[in-house]
Amino acid sequence: MTRQKVKLAFITNDSARKATYKKRKKGLMKKVNELSTLCGIDACAIIYSPYEAQPEIWPNNIGVQHVIARFKRIPEMERSKNMLNQESFIRKQVTKTNEQLKKQMKENREKEMTEVMYQCLTGKGSIENLTLPDLKDLGELVDQTLKDISRRIESLKIVSPNEAAAAAPPLPQAVVGGSSSSMVVDNVSGRDEMQRGTQTTQWFTDWMNNPSEQNLGLGPNRIWPHPFFPDC
Amino acid sequence: MHRPSKGRKKIEMKRINNMSSLLVAFSKSHSGLFKMASEMCTLCGVEMEIIVFSPTKTVFLFGHPSVQTIIDRYLKQNLPPNRYLKQNLPPSARTSQLEQRYCNTKTQELNLQLTNLLAQLEAEKKTSEELNMIRKARQESFWWDSPIENLGVEQLEKLKVMMLNLKNNSINQAEKIVMAEAANLTEVLCMCGSTWLGGIGPSV
């Protein structure tokens, strides 16, 4: 069956609409049948169309009446819990799709930031073109990676404290940050910050509130005295 | 269209044995069924109802224009024929009647919104795959790009130093930006100030 992208709107061409109706009705009835058989459940379908006086139904009149009767036995309060019309159904779809979209965007942002991080690390990219939100996200990622590295080092030391390190290939040049090499990641868009909530990197926030804070716990390559705060 | 996760396995047309598979199948299928119904209503302007009882005895209903109207209409069918004779309208009148019914702007809006969201989701998924490929290519080139699990202690220590450097530089860079923005803001405020005071010379 050819898969064409059909626009979700009323088909104004009469014959096209009729053809679509026939095809889809057949598919729908088949699907109700499958669902009922595979899951061993009661189901029914009633379709009113301009093409027939009588509605198209599944499974048959007796079956439909049985299902309706079963439905009517349910108390009023219970019934309306899962009753949907087109509007409420599509609304539900919109909500669900929105959530999926947000999740995917967040995931993509993390992946993108990982690439930025490695590019900056190897001097293929420069941090000079990053915006403040980007830098914040980068900072969080670097922190997380540092944690992972430390954890990994610890676990390796526990396993065999005397083990010589695996033969490492030649060290890269120390070309970290601030380089004039061509900007590879200039397509990092200034999107909204990742919604990290309580996971906001403490050192970054501390710094933002009090830039002259000295105890940021930086490594052996600290750059002091600070060019902007020479008195610190 | 490339759909990596949609495998079509031939399922035997009888009740699923495994209860958890059955529940999963139900949950996926019944919303798919409603989706088909909703699309049909939009595309073809028909009115319909689907009632489904879940394996856990919960009832799910989809009805257009509403659950109750379709049930009522169906049950009234058993009355004498002239009751539904007015449904046998001439084709042209029926079409415009349908279009009128369809002119439910809210549904139209929602459908449009849904279509847009689905397109965006599709684009993001594509981006995701592209990023995966970039990552894979990167990890095959340099040792420091490999996943952490593949590195030895010495390499990890070196990587740690590189990361700390980067952290440092990020802070400095962020600082620069904030300072620059603050300087700009001060300048703008000064200019506004002098204008507001009727141009009484530059302030500061």
Side-chain angles (χ1 to χ4, degrees):
Chain A
M1 186 147 99
T2 47
R3 289 236 168 246
Q4 284 174 331
K5 202 80 177 179
V6 181
K7 189 173 160 223
L8 216 53
F10 183 72
I11 301 175
T12 41
N13 181 315
D14 286 341
S15 56
R17 190 173 66 246
K18 186 170 182 180
T20 300
Y21 166 73
K22 281 193 143 64
K23 225 194 283 185
R24 285 182 178 251
K25 181 207 66 179
K26 191 169 166 202
L28 188 110
M29 296 307 198
K30 184 172 174 211
K31 207 159 161 108
V32 182
N33 189 3
E34 274 177 20
L35 184 64
S36 178
T37 311
L38 288 174
C39 303
I41 50 149
D42 276 341
C44 77
I46 306 170
I47 307 179
Y48 285 96
S49 78
Y51 312 113
E52 328 267 335
Q54 300 277 18
E56 301 265 2
I57 58 170
W58 188 92
N60 49 37
N61 272 312
I62 299 182
V64 172
Q65 282 165 27
H66 163 78
V67 173
I68 292 182
R70 189 176 163 190
F71 166 66
K72 292 210 161 174
R73 282 198 293 274
I74 299 176
E76 284 273 353
M77 285 253 288
E78 293 291 313
R79 278 189 217 171
S80 45
K81 263 197 251 170
N82 291 311
M83 268 168 70
L84 297 165
N85 59 17
Q86 230 195 342
E87 191 181 311
S88 52
F89 176 74
I90 300 178
R91 214 180 279 263
K92 232 174 135 193
Q93 297 281 87
V94 165
T95 308
K96 180 174 139 209
T97 310
N98 218 353
E99 277 168 20
Q100 289 175 323
L101 181 63
K102 286 207 177 101
K103 188 171 165 219
Q104 188 66 63
M105 280 174 72
K106 183 176 171 197
E107 205 183 284
N108 285 357
R109 174 73 174 164
E110 285 173 18
K111 284 185 184 166
E112 202 175 8
M113 233 42 227
T114 307
E115 296 310 312
V116 168
M117 179 174 80
Y118 279 106
Q119 284 187 356
C120 291
L121 221 46
T122 59
K124 270 191 268 161
S126 161
I127 58 170
E128 277 165 12
N129 290 12
L130 298 180
T131 65
L132 216 47
D134 289 341
L135 287 167
K136 178 174 185 281
D137 289 346
L138 180 63
E140 284 176 11
L141 187 59
V142 169
D143 264 357
Q144 183 56 50
T145 314
L146 280 168
K147 273 199 198 122
D148 293 340
I149 293 176
S150 297
R151 208 181 317 133
R152 180 71 186 162
I153 292 177
E154 287 310 310
S155 71
L156 283 177
K157 285 191 174 150
I158 290 172
V159 169
S160 38
N162 301 321
E163 182 187 78
L171 254 188
Q173 297 291 315
V175 274
V176 192
S179 70
S180 54
S181 49
S182 60
M183 188 57 191
V184 184
V185 281
D186 54 7
N187 61 347
V188 172
S189 54
R191 293 193 220 175
D192 299 334
E193 298 178 337
M194 290 196 285
Q195 299 292 320
R196 286 284 176 95
T198 52
Q199 293 175 357
T200 305
T201 311
Q202 198 52 46
W203 61 260
F204 202 93
T205 337
D206 284 351
W207 171 78
M208 291 291 271
N209 292 332
N210 186 3
S212 58
E213 181 76 90
Q214 296 222 19
N215 47 343
L216 285 170
L218 299 179
N221 299 303
R222 209 181 301 185
I223 301 178
W224 295 117
H226 200 286
F228 282 97
F229 301 96
D231 304 318
C232 292
Chain B
M1 204 144 82
H2 176 55
R3 290 178 189 259
S5 59
K6 299 252 169 121
R8 291 230 170 239
K9 262 190 275 186
K10 189 95 181 157
I11 302 180
E12 219 188 316
M13 205 37 63
K14 68 179 176 103
R15 184 163 175 165
I16 298 175
N17 285 327
N18 182 316
M19 188 40 122
S20 65
S21 305
L22 191 151
L23 292 171
V24 168
F26 174 80
S27 154
K28 283 188 180 171
S29 298
H30 101 265
S31 72
L33 189 61
F34 284 9
K35 186 173 174 226
M36 277 177 92
S38 175
E39 284 179 3
M40 235 173 100
C41 293
T42 303
L43 292 168
C44 309
V46 295
E47 305 191 329
M48 59 150 70
E49 166 124 350
I50 302 188
I51 307 179
V52 176
F53 279 88
S54 79
T56 52
K57 313 284 195 267
T58 318
V59 67
F60 293 90
L61 306 102
F62 174 88
H64 176 66
S66 84
V67 167
Q68 206 52 56
T69 49
I70 304 286
I71 291 183
D72 288 344
R73 195 189 305 183
Y74 174 79
L75 292 175
K76 287 190 182 130
Q77 250 184 199
N78 300 319
L79 294 171
N82 59 11
R83 271 284 177 156
Y84 59 82
L85 248 184
K86 64 180 167 183
Q87 288 195 30
N88 297 331
L89 297 165
S92 57
R94 248 183 273 155
T95 313
S96 63
Q97 185 185 51
L98 289 169
E99 284 205 80
Q100 269 178 11
R101 285 215 191 112
Y102 172 71
C103 255
N104 180 345
T105 33
K106 195 62 201 175
T107 310
Q108 267 178 291
E109 262 174 48
L110 286 170
N111 264 330
L112 199 61
Q113 201 180 354
L114 185 61
T115 309
N116 282 337
L117 285 173
L118 287 169
Q120 284 183 53
L121 185 59
E122 184 107 3
E124 291 292 329
K125 286 199 169 141
K126 195 161 166 238
T127 305
S128 175
E129 280 172 29
E130 285 170 11
L131 285 166
N132 284 341
M133 278 171 55
I134 293 178
R135 172 188 287 191
K136 190 155 178 267
R138 165 177 58 79
Q139 287 184 333
E140 286 165 5
S141 338
F142 300 105
W143 70 263
W144 54 87
D145 286 342
S146 317
I148 292 177
E149 301 79 52
N150 297 0
L151 301 176
V153 174
E154 203 181 288
Q155 293 166 317
L156 286 169
E157 298 282 2
K158 284 168 184 157
L159 188 60
K160 195 169 172 182
V161 168
M162 289 163 74
M163 287 282 175
L164 286 168
N165 254 333
L166 181 59
K167 180 170 169 174
N168 219 353
N169 289 313
S170 305
I171 298 177
N172 292 336
Q173 184 62 24
E175 219 160 82
K176 266 195 218 168
I177 296 178
V178 170
M179 299 299 291
E181 281 175 9
N184 276 343
L185 194 61
T186 319
E187 206 180 293
V188 168
L189 285 174
C190 287
M191 280 162 52
C192 289
S194 62
T195 323
W196 179 71
L197 288 170
I200 306 179
S203 33
V204 171

